[in-house]
Structure formats: C-alpha cells, structure tokens
Amino acid sequence: MKYDREWDVIVVGAGPAGIKAGEELAKRGLKTLVIDRKQEIGAPKRCGEGLSMRWIKISGLEPEPIWARQYINGAILISPKGKKIVIDTDKLGKGSGYIIERKMFEKFLAANAIRAGAKFMLKANVYDLVMEDDYVKGVRVNYMGDDLELRAKIVVAADGVDSRIGRMAGLNTTLPLTEMDSGFQYEMAGVELLDPNKMELYFGNEVAPRGYVWVFPKGKDVANVGIGINGANEKTARYYLDKWIEENWDRFKNASVIEINAGGIPVTKPVDEFVGNGIMLTGDAARMVNPIHGGGMGTALEAAGMLADVAKEAIASGDVSKEKLKKFQDMWMEKHGEEFAKILKVRHFFERLNDEQLEAIADMALKGGLTPDVLVDLGHGKGLVEVAKALLKASPAAAKLVWEFIKG
Amino acid sequence: MAVRIDRDKCMYCGACTSVCPFLALELRETYVHVHEDKCKECGICVKACPVGAISLPRGDTQ
Ligand SMILES: Cc1cc2nc3c(=O)[nH]c(=O)nc-3n(C[C@H](O)[C@H](O)[C@H](O)COP(=O)(O)OP(=O)(O)OC[C@H]3O[C@@H](n4cnc5c(N)ncnc54)[C@H](O)[C@@H]3O)c2cc1C
C-alpha cells in the first residue's frame, strides 16, 4: 500500500481515542493518517468491554448489533463476605449500557473514520518523532519492515496507557506504579451468571487488593471474567484471578476460556500538559480514565470532537504552538477536571478501607442507609460524604479514616 | 544487565512499559523490547506485570 509523506494530522494509535479523532479530524477537512503497530484493529483487546449508554450517545452512536453484545441494566456488588447489593439502573434511569465486542466496535468506528476521509496504516510502529525548532513535525515509523519519515502539522498521541509518544516530545506522562492497575482477564463460555443483564463486581482485600474482580456478561453464559489490582502488589493479577475462580469453582466447572487478556489501567489524574508544540495527547495517553472503575473508552471517544475543533483552528491559523493547542486541555478540564478530581478522591477513600469497613458499607446499603442512587453517583465523584457518614455510624473504628478524608 | 522477560508468559500488554521510569521497555507488536542500556533494574516492571513474566537478573524484586 502506498502512503503520502505529508499530512495535516498524524494520529499515533488506533484505539477508541485515535480512531474517533481520525474521524472527527477528517470530517473537518483535515488530511489525516491514523497509525497503529498492530496488524488488526481492535485485537488483542485490553478491555472488559463495558460501555455505558451515556458515552454511546455522547459519541453520536446508537447501539449496533454487530458490536453491542449484551444489554446491561445494572450491577451486583458483592462484599468480602458475599453479601449482594443489586442495583437496577433501568429503575434509576441512569447507568445502563452494553458489554460490547470491542474488536468489532473498533473496526466499526474505523470504517466510519475512513468514510469521513481518514486513512489508516497498520503494522506500523512509530519509534521516533521528527523534531525541528522545538516543534513536533512528524513521526518516524517502521511500516512492515521499512523505515519511513512522515510529516504532519500536528501529531496526535493516542498511544494508550504507554504514552511513550508524549514522553518523546518532552511531556511528563510518567505513570507511578501505585497509580496503575494491573489487569488480567479471561473471556469464558459456559459460565453460570447471577443475572445475564447485570455486571458483577467483587470487592475485598483478599479478592482484589485495592481493586475488584468483574464478571461482565456477553451473553447468557459468556462473560469477561477479569481483575484489576493495584500495580504495586507483590502477587500478580493473574494469581488473584485464578485464586478467585478456584474459590468459586461451582460456577466455572462447566466453563472454559476463549480469550486471555492483560493490560495496565491508569487510575490517576489527567496529565499536567495535554499538548506541546505540534503535539496533542488524548485518551489513555492523557490519562482520561475514570479512576474509580478504570473505564476509559467513553472519555477517549468524547475527547475527539474537542481535539479536532482545536486542531482545525490551529492549522487554519498557521499556529500549532503549545499555547494555541492548550485550548483542548482547557475545554476538557472545564468539562471533567473537577469531576475527575472528585472521583479520584472517592478511589483513594475506598482504597484505604479494610474488609470490615467494606462489609459495614454493604450492610448499610442492604439496610437502606445507602441508596443505589448514591452508590451509582460515586462513579461520578458524588455522594462520598454520605458514604463516609454511613461508615462512621456503622464502624466507629473508621472514624479516623473518615476524619482524615474530610480534612483532606 | 537488565530485566528478563519470559516470552512464553508475556502477553505484550504494555503494563510494564507504561510504568518504566527510564523508557527502557518498549512495546512492539508481539513482544516487549528491552533497551538494556537504559534498564536500571529497579524492579517496578516486575510488580506491574499482570502475569509475572518479568524477573531481575538477581532473581528478586529489589
Ligand atoms: C483489563 C482491562 C479492562 C478494561 N475494561 C474497560 C471497560 O470495561 N470499559 C472501558 O471503558 N474501559 C476499560 N478499560 C480501559 C480501556 O481499554 C482504555 O481506556 C481504552 O482502550 C483507551 O483507549 P485509547 O484509544 O486511549 O488507547 P488504546 O485502546 O490502548 O489504543 C492505543 C493504540 O495505540 C497503539 N500504539 C501505541 N504506541 C504505538 C506506537 N509507538 N506506534 C504505533 N502504534 C502505537 C496501540 O497498538 C493501540 O492500538 C480496560 C483496560 C484494561 C487493561
């Protein structure tokens, strides 16, 4: 396949962030190339594949049968001792969504981007940036064994949690170990599900230290069974997931694996600088991930429109300086900055709870002291004061923790 | 010396490359390339790996 050497925008990374950015940029008349090192878009997936209706709508999409695998109308939260809190999101009128087939989803999005005019280059590893006068001017890429230099007015780094492209441009995207979740997952068939329309989330320091085990249904007996634990743990994510499956063997005795996935999930704050001269970071690369559950597809998709507006304006004005591009960061932070800071606080609070305190929260929820509404809102950074108050009532030992939280 | 990656275990998922403070690990399509000159054997990647595919030459994590 032949490729031009000069582009308006080169997007590094064809994940949700990069593909959607490619579409939005092309729609605005910019000559756009999306590059990925993988030979197939969407595979291997590094994802539990949960996507809420809110994000599907924000991205201007409707659930399509080829990628919307299973309708999800709630969650079952399971305490360390096995108490079940059922949340019905249809009843609440918020939080419903789908478990998607990510590979099909990404290919679907890529086809849309191509129809809008974007081009894709696969099996192409970007190993260096072209830098001139302190500006990013393009990329050096190995495309199926050949080294090429491609030039662009703006390079978009949508290279995922790795965020190496940003670091090459001098932006600080270092991810501390304690702010990354180490993830591991089996996609399995033959699983006995509690409810094929509910996500199951298991908590506890023995189950998943500072994280959770998830069972995301993809059909009546197919599911993503995965885990995310704090990166700094001595034992591996795989160890904890295998242990959990063994302890719940009854449900898995007739099941087996159809896919194995792993990955890192940034559960941290957005990077300090989204942009530099001639470069913009988006998606996981900019750490646009909801730090309470690690979902990052929705924000990655949503950011594309903002990014493309700013890129178009900058290119039209002939000024792609950091100052000019910073508008993208300002727009994103205006939308999510405060919310995500609060969500991170919720995470830090929950990370410090021991099993007894988690159990106390479950008891409160079961007795009606914490409504499903409040529990769902935690994912948006709201309701922490309610939880803290409930915990204080239920477990006086937690008083210190609550006090520290309120102070901080 | 540098960290060792067991290619039979490695899922080339990029958890290690994401936390390496020295850009010593680079994800390629189906493996992780170790830039041996950059690795300081700090052991951060050893903990980050979801499947325990990385070890230090000394055999411990610190
Ligand atoms: C185990 C696990 C479970 C998850 N579950 C969910 C979930 O249920 N719901 C949810 O919303 N999110 C989930 N996430 C997070 C979600 O997968 C990410 O937030 C999302 O993929 C981010 O999209 P992105 O486009 O920014 O990056 P990515 O999807 O990671 O895409 C980056 C792309 O860049 C390419 N690339 C990187 N560097 C280069 C280079 N130098 N040259 C060429 N190509 C390059 C990569 O090959 C990759 O295709 C999960 C993550 C993990 C690890």
Side-chain angles (χ1 to χ4, degrees), chain A residues 37-39 46 123 125 161-162 164 167 175 177 180 182-184 231-234 236-238 260-264, chain B residues 11-15 17-23 25-29 35 38 44 47-52 61:
Chain A
R37 66 159 74 93
K38 299 190 301 199
Q39 62 189 13
R46 294 177 181 120
K123 205 165 171 63
N125 185 44
V161 56
D162 216 26
R164 191 184 187 89
R167 284 207 267 178
L175 183 60
L177 184 60
M180 186 189 74
S182 185
F184 187 70
N233 222 279
E234 288 297 336
T236 63
R238 179 187 171 197
I260 308 180
N261 313 111
Chain B
M11 309 268 305
Y12 40 94
C13 73
T17 58
S18 304
V19 291
C20 175
F22 313 111
L23 291 175
L25 300 173
E26 186 185 345
L27 187 62
R28 300 276 172 82
E29 195 193 350
H35 294 273
K38 291 185 186 159
I44 286 178
K47 286 190 178 164
C49 179
V51 295
T61 51

Side-chain angles (χ1 to χ4, degrees), chain A residues 318-335:
Chain A
D319 175 5
V320 295
S321 67
K322 179 176 179 172
E323 291 68 38
K324 186 82 180 179
L325 298 178
K326 180 151 184 303
K327 192 169 166 199
F328 171 50
Q329 175 165 1
D330 294 342
M331 284 164 86
W332 196 89
M333 290 304 283
E334 165 90 37
K335 220 172 189 154

Side-chain angles (χ1 to χ4, degrees), chain A residues 85-280:
Chain A
I85 298 148
V86 181
I87 298 174
D88 183 330
T89 50
D90 273 351
K91 256 190 223 156
L92 289 178
K94 60 182 169 189
S96 297
Y98 285 85
I99 305 303
I100 64 170
E101 187 67 34
R102 177 137 170 192
K103 176 166 136 177
M104 298 310 291
F105 182 58
E106 288 193 22
K107 285 189 175 174
F108 174 91
L109 292 175
N112 281 345
I114 289 166
R115 283 176 205 121
K119 301 287 184 212
F120 283 73
M121 178 190 262
L122 301 183
K123 205 165 171 63
N125 185 44
V126 173
Y127 60 88
D128 202 6
L129 294 174
V130 180
M131 300 287 301
E132 277 165 23
D133 313 320
D134 214 21
Y135 273 74
V136 177
K137 295 277 191 183
V139 300
R140 294 196 179 86
V141 57
N142 185 286
Y143 168 54
M144 299 191 77
D146 294 328
D147 286 332
L148 309 173
E149 185 174 305
L150 305 175
R151 300 182 70 89
K153 292 167 185 143
I154 293 175
V155 169
V156 172
D159 56 329
V161 56
D162 216 26
S163 203
R164 191 184 187 89
I165 302 296
R167 284 207 267 178
M168 285 178 190
L171 300 174
N172 180 13
T173 64
T174 307
L175 183 60
L177 184 60
T178 50
E179 289 170 31
M180 186 189 74
D181 271 7
S182 185
F184 187 70
Q185 175 176 278
Y186 297 113
E187 184 173 338
M188 301 175 94
V191 181
E192 275 176 41
L193 297 166
L194 297 180
D195 176 340
N197 297 109
K198 301 261 185 315
M199 301 186 287
E200 302 169 26
L201 306 173
Y202 294 79
F203 298 92
N205 288 295
E206 299 297 318
V207 174
R210 297 166 75 178
Y212 60 95
V213 163
W214 64 81
V215 178
F216 287 0
K218 290 182 81 173
K220 69 178 190 329
D221 69 345
V222 178
N224 286 325
V225 181
I227 190 169
I229 59 167
N230 189 273
N233 222 279
E234 288 297 336
K235 296 211 172 79
T236 63
R238 179 187 171 197
Y239 164 85
Y240 280 102
L241 186 62
D242 283 347
K243 177 160 96 74
W244 182 81
I245 289 175
E246 225 163 89
E247 287 164 4
N248 291 274
W249 191 242
D250 257 7
R251 302 177 55 194
F252 295 102
K253 60 180 187 293
N254 297 319
S256 197
V257 176
I258 52 180
E259 186 171 326
I260 308 180
N261 313 111
I265 309 158
V267 282
T268 181
K269 58 183 187 1
V271 288
D272 292 337
E273 292 179 315
F274 287 33
V275 299
N277 292 332
I279 185 165
M280 307 170 85

